[in-house]
Amino acid sequence: MDKLQYSIKKRTTKIELPAELGFGRLFTDHFFEMDYSPEKGWHNPIIRHIENLSIHPGSMFIHYGQAIFEGLKAFKSADGRVTIFRPKAHFQRLNNSAKRICIPQVDEDFLLHALTELVSIESDWIPTNPGESLYIRPVIYGMDSSLGVKPSASYKLFILLSPVGAYYPEGFKPIKILVQDDYVRAVRKGLGECKTPANYAASLLAATEAKAKGFTQVLWLDGVEQKYLEEVGTMNIFVEFKNEIATPKLNGSILPGVTRRSVIQLLKDKGLNVTERAISIDEVVSAYKDGTLVSLFGTGTAAVISPVGWLTYKNLEMVINNGEPSKIAQELFDQLNSLHTLKVEDKYEWVVQVNKEEVEI
Ligand SMILES: *Cc1c(COP(=O)(O)O)cnc(C)c1O
């Protein structure tokens, strides 16, 4: 691998973040990029001032969607330490997604080095109000200009940074979910377990229709029978029954969330009965009816924990936990936020700290 290069343009004005950051509307001054060719492998890694990319109209990813991405976050602690949450798990998943879509593997250690450098350079952009963070978006796409359907030979990888507020405008408040049985997101052995734009293309119409009816997001059911829970929008789903907290098991059509994995660990360490198994929508409805359904919540990097307050399936509107976050959802939310900003000891070694001194420009 070539040595990381820098082309930094120092700011002459102070960074002024708006009070309402929203999600992914604002980008930092610099980004990281590198290229891949079969001859050179990954090469030309550089952190440089952000500008438009020049893309040939025949670029394969535009025509055939050969692209993958990740989403992770950096935070600033009260005493100014900069942290990145579970970057290694995210880069492993990037490589898993890459395999399925014929994209070449990336050196995870090098990518972590590049990311910590980038975050360190842009650390003044990290917002510090509760729920705010620096969202990190790595992307890889096939660059060849060719209309023949085959894997691209050349690729670009970039990492974009965006200061973000709380993902849902409602903040840590229960959301309104429509159980989707008109469309499916993914099927087993398809692309569901990859973080790839195609899955989002498949989800847009359902989300748009649900939003028009006043819902925040949809709960996807399995692609074959529309019977089993899969995930909610951009999050994994957990169902709190009276004596069990269950989440759909990874069956190939569900995205293996890093937050999902963290939450399973935290629940286990609380001594709770957490299971990964098939959960049918009928089971959720009957638990609701007999009073053994405590709550549902989504997990994902963007929202962290998102309690479900209202769940509508066909003509049944279920009010979950009186439209309030459950005790466990609240605890998990607080615990993850404390870990992000090192308010508690990180005994799991999930957090990678970024040291300012390490940057050698
Ligand atoms: C990214 C993503 C998630 C959440 O994964 P995290 O690693 O927890 O952020 C869940 N579902 C889908 C479809 C996703 O793309």
Side-chain angles (χ1 to χ4, degrees):
M1 177 66 73
D2 305 338
K3 204 164 174 290
L4 181 57
Q5 302 295 310
Y6 303 82
S7 172
I8 307 294
K9 231 195 246 173
K10 276 250 165 355
R11 277 185 83 87
T12 50
T13 55
K14 209 167 158 281
I15 295 164
E16 306 246 6
L17 295 176
E20 291 290 326
L21 283 166
F23 187 82
R25 293 202 295 251
L26 189 69
F27 298 100
T28 69
D29 292 330
H30 298 88
F31 79 131
F32 167 77
E33 68 169 344
M34 64 179 176
D35 294 308
Y36 179 91
S37 70
E39 304 76 39
K40 295 190 191 163
W42 288 107
H43 62 281
N44 283 348
I46 182 164
I47 292 174
R48 65 181 181 90
H49 200 262
I50 197 160
E51 60 183 51
N52 291 346
L53 296 171
S54 151
I55 290 170
H56 190 281
S59 292
M60 294 186 75
F61 83 96
I62 299 176
H63 298 268
Y64 306 123
Q66 196 194 11
I68 53 173
F69 64 96
E70 266 304 321
L72 60 161
K73 280 177 171 177
F75 303 86
K76 202 178 266 176
S77 69
D79 59 2
R81 284 175 293 172
V82 173
T83 65
I84 306 176
F85 193 66
R86 304 197 76 173
K88 290 172 194 170
H90 284 277
F91 291 153
Q92 274 165 16
R93 189 172 65 192
L94 184 73
N95 269 335
N96 283 339
S97 298
K99 261 183 222 143
R100 179 65 175 81
I101 308 191
C102 299
I103 289 174
Q105 295 287 291
V106 183
D107 178 336
E108 292 166 20
D109 292 334
F110 180 79
L111 207 54
L112 183 58
H113 166 61
L115 176 62
T116 51
E117 294 284 284
L118 178 64
V119 168
S120 174
I121 288 164
E122 300 292 62
S123 61
D124 289 345
W125 285 91
I126 307 176
T128 51
N129 292 318
E132 295 179 342
S133 60
L134 186 67
Y135 187 77
I136 301 166
R137 171 53 61 83
V139 175
I140 311 179
Y141 62 88
M143 268 210 311
D144 288 10
S145 51
S146 162
L147 299 184
V149 178
K150 61 177 188 301
S152 182
S154 61
Y155 295 86
K156 184 175 286 296
L157 180 157
F158 65 78
I159 303 178
L160 202 55
L161 302 181
S162 171
V164 298
Y167 189 70
Y168 288 101
E170 300 96 311
F172 191 67
K173 282 197 193 129
I175 54 173
K176 241 181 138 165
I177 296 290
L178 175 67
V179 181
Q180 178 53 257
D181 56 0
D182 286 333
Y183 308 102
V184 299
R185 187 192 84 98
V187 288
R188 281 181 67 190
K189 306 192 183 186
L191 298 178
E193 63 185 352
C194 305
K195 228 172 161 70
T196 182
N199 290 328
Y200 283 82
S203 76
L204 293 175
L205 182 59
T208 305
E209 289 182 3
K211 274 183 192 141
K213 291 183 197 154
F215 296 96
T216 319
Q217 260 299 348
V218 301
L219 170 60
W220 297 104
L221 299 178
D222 76 277
V224 179
E225 299 176 82
Q226 285 89 70
K227 190 172 167 191
Y228 296 99
L229 274 51
E230 296 242 304
E231 31 187 327
V232 248
T234 57
M235 294 182 287
N236 294 109
I237 183 86
F238 283 74
V239 185
E240 221 183 311
F241 297 105
K242 213 162 188 175
N243 298 309
E244 177 197 13
I245 302 170
T247 190
K249 71 165 184 271
L250 301 177
N251 61 3
S253 61
I254 296 169
L255 205 280
V258 175
T259 319
R260 174 186 181 279
R261 222 206 289 175
S262 307
V263 161
I264 290 172
Q265 181 75 52
L266 292 174
L267 291 172
K268 277 189 182 152
D269 290 356
K270 290 178 194 295
L272 295 168
N273 175 27
V274 50
T275 58
E276 298 175 65
R277 63 173 178 88
I279 308 163
S280 72
I281 186 65
D282 292 342
E283 181 186 355
V284 173
V285 169
S286 61
Y288 174 75
K289 287 181 173 162
D290 69 22
T292 54
L293 180 68
V294 180
S295 88
L296 286 93
F297 56 89
T299 66
T301 296
V304 187
I305 301 288
S306 210
V308 176
W310 298 268
L311 184 70
T312 298
Y313 179 52
K314 299 192 191 287
N315 293 322
L316 177 66
E317 193 198 38
M318 296 175 265
V319 182
I320 311 295
N321 197 40
N322 299 317
E324 296 291 329
S326 72
K327 186 169 157 280
I328 288 191
Q330 182 73 54
E331 265 178 38
L332 289 166
F333 185 72
D334 294 341
Q335 223 174 338
L336 283 167
N337 283 323
S338 299
L339 279 164
H340 291 156
T341 49
L342 295 174
K343 265 187 228 146
V344 291
E345 188 207 343
D346 172 29
K347 66 172 181 177
Y348 303 104
E349 299 186 357
W350 286 341
V351 169
V352 168
Q353 282 196 55
V354 176
N355 301 313
K356 210 155 191 153
E357 310 80 70
E358 272 172 22
V359 184
E360 9 108 357
I361 303 171

